[in-house]
Amino acid sequence: MSDYQAARLALGARLRELRADSGLSGKAFAATLGWPASKVSKIETGKQTPTPDDLRAWAEGVGTPDVVTELTSRLRTLETQYGAWRRQLAAGVRARQEAWHATETASSGVCCFETAVIPGLLQTAEYARHMFLRTTSLHRTTQDIEAGVNARMQRQQALYTPGRTFRFLLWEPALHMLVCPRDVMAGQLDRLSGIFGMSTVELGIVPLGADLSVVPTHGFWIFDEHLVMVETIGAELRLTDPAELTLYRTVWDELTQVSVTGHDAHRLIGRARAAVHKLM
């Protein structure tokens, strides 16, 4: 069960509790609100997300209008934790990059682990362009690709800000995934090689064959100690629960233990670069 679904179920359970305390059956309550009985059932069982208007009507219908603030706060938390890509990209790629920039700006320390692609803050413009093309094509959203590329390049200025710390871990397959033309990938790997030596950036690679104590099923970002962001195929999750933050920090620490840095990491990048060159 996803964090989003769990939160929706919890909200539904709270609404069911309020309705039961009022002494109304689901059918009678639906009639009071002028709703189909199925709508009440779907909301209470977490199969449908209520709107703010639904929550206000619910609170008034059970005679407890004072709980509107609590209910809308629960809904806002739920929507913040889970952002479907089609909804997020509706405003365009540039808007999404600006939202990421705001999150990054509010954090002094950023940790990022990626399994299959190069992190956005380390991407070349050409690599980023192909990533955006694939994302917008998959989700059939508005394609302001060039504006998005420019915004991503502007985000990268943070890497040169004294006092900031950016730590990146890549699973070795990310160096070989051809999500762009081979010449673009070659340039991207050259860009990675140039990262070494930057005072604000640490780059490690988890090599294939490493003895893993955890299973890196997906990438994630950790912002200071207050937020974890996870990008799935369908949505972006924003996790703030302390237990979840601790879990992701543990995974990060375990992956760090088996990663290689410095010369060894540079060698893996060089090997991937040579492989791409043979295919060009």
Side-chain angles (χ1 to χ4, degrees):
M1 181 184 299
S2 69
D3 296 303
Y4 176 73
Q5 182 60 18
R8 190 161 67 170
L9 281 170
L11 176 57
R14 174 62 172 140
L15 293 171
R16 182 172 59 251
E17 177 186 48
L18 291 169
R19 192 260 305 159
D21 287 346
S22 74
L24 292 170
S25 67
K27 186 176 181 180
F29 183 56
T32 298
L33 298 180
W35 293 356
S38 60
K39 179 174 180 177
V40 171
S41 175
K42 288 179 180 178
I43 288 176
E44 289 187 348
T45 57
K47 295 178 180 178
Q48 179 176 331
T49 303
T51 67
D53 287 340
D54 290 338
L55 295 178
R56 281 189 288 272
W58 197 291
E60 292 171 2
V62 298
T64 55
D66 56 306
V67 300
V68 170
T69 299
E70 173 210 332
L71 297 178
T72 54
S73 177
R74 284 172 175 261
L75 178 62
R76 189 179 306 112
T77 299
L78 183 153
E79 292 177 334
T80 299
Q81 286 182 334
Y82 183 99
W85 284 119
R86 291 199 69 178
R87 186 172 76 241
Q88 293 206 58
L89 293 173
V93 177
R94 176 181 177 179
R96 188 70 211 101
Q97 292 303 299
E98 291 174 344
W100 266 91
H101 176 67
T103 301
E104 290 161 351
T105 300
S107 305
S108 60
V110 177
C111 296
C112 170
F113 170 67
E114 286 288 4
T115 61
V117 297
I118 307 303
L121 287 176
L122 302 181
Q123 292 176 6
T124 65
E126 292 79 8
Y127 186 97
R129 184 174 294 110
H130 285 279
M131 287 293 296
F132 289 146
L133 283 169
R134 280 151 179 73
T135 300
T136 55
S137 175
L138 176 64
H139 296 289
R140 299 189 177 99
T141 56
T142 303
Q143 297 190 10
D144 59 335
I145 302 299
E146 292 310 310
V149 171
N150 290 335
R152 176 159 286 182
M153 295 303 102
Q154 291 173 8
R155 279 176 56 202
Q156 295 182 4
Q157 294 303 309
L159 299 176
Y160 304 94
T161 304
R164 304 288 301 281
T165 301
F166 296 87
R167 302 177 64 195
F168 298 95
L169 283 179
L170 300 183
W171 203 21
E172 188 178 353
L175 305 177
H176 298 269
M177 293 288 188
L178 290 175
V179 296
C180 59
R182 291 178 175 83
D183 61 329
V184 172
M185 190 63 186
Q188 177 62 71
L189 293 171
D190 289 341
R191 158 70 169 156
L192 279 186
S193 295
I195 291 298
F196 296 98
M198 291 183 62
S199 61
T200 59
V201 178
E202 297 177 15
L203 175 59
I205 298 174
V206 179
L208 285 171
D211 187 5
L212 301 177
S213 59
V214 293
V215 181
T217 54
H218 58 255
F220 55 88
W221 294 69
I222 303 175
F223 297 91
D224 290 334
E225 300 298 330
H226 65 272
L227 172 66
V228 168
M229 293 180 66
V230 178
E231 294 182 323
T232 71
I233 292 175
E236 174 191 275
L237 305 180
R238 298 174 68 92
L239 309 176
T240 57
D241 182 82
E244 290 180 305
L245 296 180
T246 298
L247 182 63
Y248 276 91
R249 174 58 70 176
T250 297
V251 173
W252 172 270
D253 291 341
E254 292 295 320
L255 292 173
T256 298
Q257 290 295 319
V258 297
S259 69
V260 297
T261 59
H263 176 74
D264 291 333
H266 199 282
R267 180 175 55 82
L268 292 179
I269 295 172
R271 187 164 67 188
R273 178 67 172 82
V276 170
H277 180 72
K278 288 181 181 179
L279 297 173
M280 291 172 60

